[in-house]
Amino acid sequence: MVKALGNSEEAVFLQQRLDDMNQRWTELKAKSANIRVHLEASAERWSRLLALLEELWRWLGLKEEELSKQKPIGGDIPTLLQQHNHCTTLQSELRSKEPMVVSTLDQSCMFLADQPIEGPEEPRRNLQPKTELTAEEKAQRVAKAIRKQTAEVRERWDRLGVQAAGWQQQVDRALEKLQDLQDAAAQLDLRLAQLEDTKAGWQPVGDLLIDSLQDHIEKTTAFKEEIVPLKQDVRVVNELSSQLTPLDVQLAPSVSRQLDDLNMRWKLLQVAVDERLKLLQEAHRDFGPSSQHFLSTSVQLPWQRAVSQNKVPYYINHQTQTTCWDHPKMTELFQSMGDLNNVRFSAYRTAMKIRRLQKALCWDLLDLNVAQNTFERHKLTQNAQLLNVPDVINCLTTIYDGLEQNHKDLVNVPLCVDMCLNWLLNVYDTYAPRHATPRPLGLT
């Protein structure tokens, strides 16, 4: 075409373009030749580099698989300790492998820096299979494999490092929390066992002596105060258990059973203490020194002694289904005094009635000095206080217990105390009825 154009301007311009293309083509062939020489000289080193990358890729995949098998977080100390040891071993292996990985990746980067940027493959015009690859094609394939393997190794190395660090941090936190939980649970179990041993030594309330009820009430109250701090220990154990949930820790069945057992033992201990204290207080109320239970023997069937809410006794006749405020014997005594109404002079009549009351209540056996000492003992010498029914019963019981020691055949303590109480209530208590008016049962 240049020759055909002759010496025209188009020929000159076309010749310049042709010379430029020839020069670029020559440079390209020279560069290609240099690359071919370089590739052929470095082929063995590249193959070793590729093999090393493949070996690292397989090793990293194996460690990722081992790490995934360790999940999830263990729910007991032995499992967490095994996972912690695996984390320590893995971190040690990663540290020892790090220089080799870094060096291999650096070599790969240096190699790839000398390679041309990989573009899209040209379509093959000749579809016949090649029997042998050229040096350039071999180099291209090796470079492509190294580039791909380098990217995968770098990605796996970074991912494994992040996963291992995060997993170890999670295992360490879970192990610390679970060890705290185990220590707190062990201390709580020991404390509960000590308190349960104390509770196991309690005598049944029904086997206790009446005089010891108050002492047992005080001891049980002190025991109840002693177990109060244990509530905080139980709360700490439950809080430590709840702190494991955000860490994705599923407690082992044995640990869960232990926590449930501790909570149940604590609740049962509280219930047992409250129930015993309630039984002791009821027994003390019904049978203790301030109770009127011992006075129930002051009446015989069909009579029954009962006590109203203000501690004033009343009496039930089950035969007539009625109740009255006066003791049956006191009613008989009042009726017998009617026989003395025929006594002529009032002074004699009154004296004889008082004498009959005195003998019925065994006051003729009481020395005034003994009565004075009893009043001093109960702090009743100043007459500066009001007495309730239990106070009167306590004082009368002291008096009649002393009389019974000297006159066992003459003094019936429950009957005397009850009748004397009945007489005092009729004489001094303006709020109590003075007459034994029968009433239907249930209207007391």
Side-chain angles (χ1 to χ4, degrees):
M1 291 176 61
V2 171
K3 290 179 180 180
L5 293 175
N7 296 326
S8 63
E9 293 179 0
E10 290 82 357
V12 175
F13 178 75
L14 186 60
Q15 183 64 47
Q16 291 176 351
R17 294 289 302 277
L18 182 61
D19 294 341
D20 180 65
M21 291 178 62
N22 286 329
Q23 182 180 358
R24 290 168 62 190
W25 174 249
T26 301
E27 292 175 354
L28 182 62
K29 289 194 293 182
K31 186 175 181 180
S32 176
N34 292 333
I35 292 175
R36 183 182 299 109
V37 173
H38 176 72
L39 291 175
E40 290 175 351
S42 305
E44 183 178 356
R45 182 164 61 89
W46 296 342
S47 298
R48 288 198 304 269
L49 178 61
L50 180 60
L52 185 57
L53 286 170
E54 291 175 346
E55 180 184 352
L56 288 175
W57 183 84
R58 289 191 296 269
W59 183 83
L60 290 171
L62 178 63
K63 295 305 173 183
E64 281 186 331
E65 183 179 357
E66 291 178 359
L67 184 59
S68 65
K69 289 181 179 179
Q70 289 293 315
K71 299 178 180 180
I73 292 288
D76 53 28
I77 295 296
T79 303
L80 278 172
L81 286 176
Q82 183 273 325
Q83 292 174 333
H84 177 75
N85 292 336
H86 177 269
C87 288
T88 303
T89 303
L90 178 60
Q91 289 291 354
S92 176
E93 291 178 351
L94 291 177
R95 284 193 297 271
S96 63
K97 208 77 171 179
E98 184 177 11
M100 179 180 179
V101 173
V102 172
S103 174
T104 303
L105 292 177
D106 288 344
Q107 292 179 30
S108 299
C109 292
M110 293 174 60
F111 165 73
L112 294 174
D114 296 336
Q115 303 304 313
I117 299 176
E118 184 176 331
E121 293 186 358
E122 295 183 0
R124 290 176 56 186
R125 296 176 181 176
N126 186 6
L127 300 179
Q128 295 297 327
K130 288 187 176 182
T131 57
E132 185 177 357
L133 298 176
T134 63
E136 290 85 350
E137 291 175 334
K138 291 180 179 180
Q140 289 177 357
R141 289 196 172 187
V142 171
K144 183 178 180 180
I146 290 177
R147 180 176 287 106
K148 178 182 178 183
Q149 203 69 41
T150 299
E152 292 180 352
V153 168
R154 186 185 304 279
E155 179 184 0
R156 274 196 169 181
W157 173 256
D158 294 340
R159 183 172 66 238
L160 180 60
V162 172
Q163 290 178 347
W167 175 248
Q168 183 169 18
Q169 186 179 9
Q170 190 177 4
V171 169
D172 289 344
R173 287 202 306 268
L175 181 59
E176 180 183 2
K177 293 294 184 182
L178 199 56
Q179 285 176 336
D180 292 341
L181 174 61
Q182 187 180 50
D183 294 341
Q187 294 177 2
L188 178 59
D189 177 71
L190 178 62
R191 186 65 180 138
L192 279 173
Q194 294 173 345
L195 296 173
E196 287 168 344
D197 289 342
T198 302
K199 181 178 73 69
W202 289 345
Q203 291 180 269
V205 175
D207 296 341
L208 298 177
L209 297 176
I210 293 177
D211 294 340
S212 66
L213 288 175
Q214 182 60 40
D215 181 54
H216 283 280
I217 289 176
E218 294 175 357
K219 289 182 179 179
T220 305
T221 303
F223 184 82
K224 184 176 182 179
E225 295 175 354
E226 183 182 354
I227 70 173
V228 169
L230 211 62
K231 182 178 181 180
Q232 175 66 15
D233 298 339
V234 175
R235 187 181 65 82
V236 168
V237 169
N238 291 328
E239 286 182 353
L240 288 173
S241 175
S242 64
Q243 290 174 6
L244 292 172
T245 302
L247 301 178
D248 295 331
V249 178
Q250 186 68 32
L251 292 177
S254 58
V255 179
S256 297
R257 286 194 299 269
Q258 182 188 18
L259 296 180
D260 293 340
D261 179 65
L262 290 174
N263 281 279
M264 181 57 66
R265 287 166 62 190
W266 163 241
K267 292 179 180 177
L268 292 176
L269 181 62
Q270 287 180 298
V271 171
V273 173
D274 291 340
E275 183 66 21
R276 179 174 177 82
L277 189 57
K278 178 182 176 183
L279 292 175
L280 286 170
Q281 290 172 342
E282 290 178 351
H284 186 265
R285 181 194 64 205
D286 297 336
F287 305 103
S290 60
S291 72
Q292 303 182 35
H293 178 74
F294 75 102
L295 297 177
S296 60
T297 59
S298 68
V299 294
Q300 304 296 326
L301 291 177
W303 290 95
Q304 178 187 348
R305 188 182 191 276
V307 181
S308 63
Q309 292 184 353
N310 61 355
K311 305 300 182 181
V312 175
Y314 64 96
Y315 305 90
I316 304 171
N317 189 326
H318 291 285
Q319 185 173 355
T320 61
Q321 293 293 298
T322 57
T323 63
C324 63
W325 292 108
D326 284 327
H327 193 285
K329 293 294 184 181
M330 183 60 69
T331 302
E332 294 177 4
L333 179 60
F334 289 156
Q335 291 173 352
S336 68
M337 288 183 181
D339 299 338
L340 302 176
N341 289 336
N342 296 326
V343 176
R344 184 173 181 180
F345 297 106
S346 61
Y348 293 146
R349 186 167 58 248
T350 302
M352 292 184 69
K353 288 182 178 181
I354 293 177
R355 178 61 176 173
R356 179 167 293 187
L357 178 64
Q358 183 188 37
K359 291 181 69 66
L361 300 181
C362 297
W363 287 348
D364 57 320
L365 305 176
L366 178 62
D367 188 273
L368 289 179
N369 291 330
V370 174
Q372 179 66 23
N373 292 335
T374 302
F375 294 151
E376 291 177 353
R377 178 179 172 184
H378 288 268
K379 300 178 181 180
L380 302 177
T381 57
Q382 300 299 323
N383 285 332
Q385 66 186 63
L386 296 176
L387 298 180
N388 54 32
V389 172
D391 293 334
V392 176
I393 292 175
N394 287 339
C395 184
L396 293 176
T397 302
T398 303
I399 292 175
Y400 283 111
D401 281 342
L403 293 178
E404 185 190 28
Q405 294 179 3
N406 299 323
H407 308 280
K408 292 184 179 180
D409 298 334
L410 299 177
V411 179
N412 183 335
V413 175
L415 178 60
C416 291
V417 170
D418 213 11
M419 287 183 63
C420 188
L421 173 65
N422 194 178
W423 180 77
L424 290 173
L425 288 174
N426 276 282
V427 172
Y428 293 104
D429 190 353
T430 58
Y431 295 96
R434 298 228 182 160
H435 302 288
T437 303
R439 292 170 294 168
L441 186 63
L443 299 180
T444 56

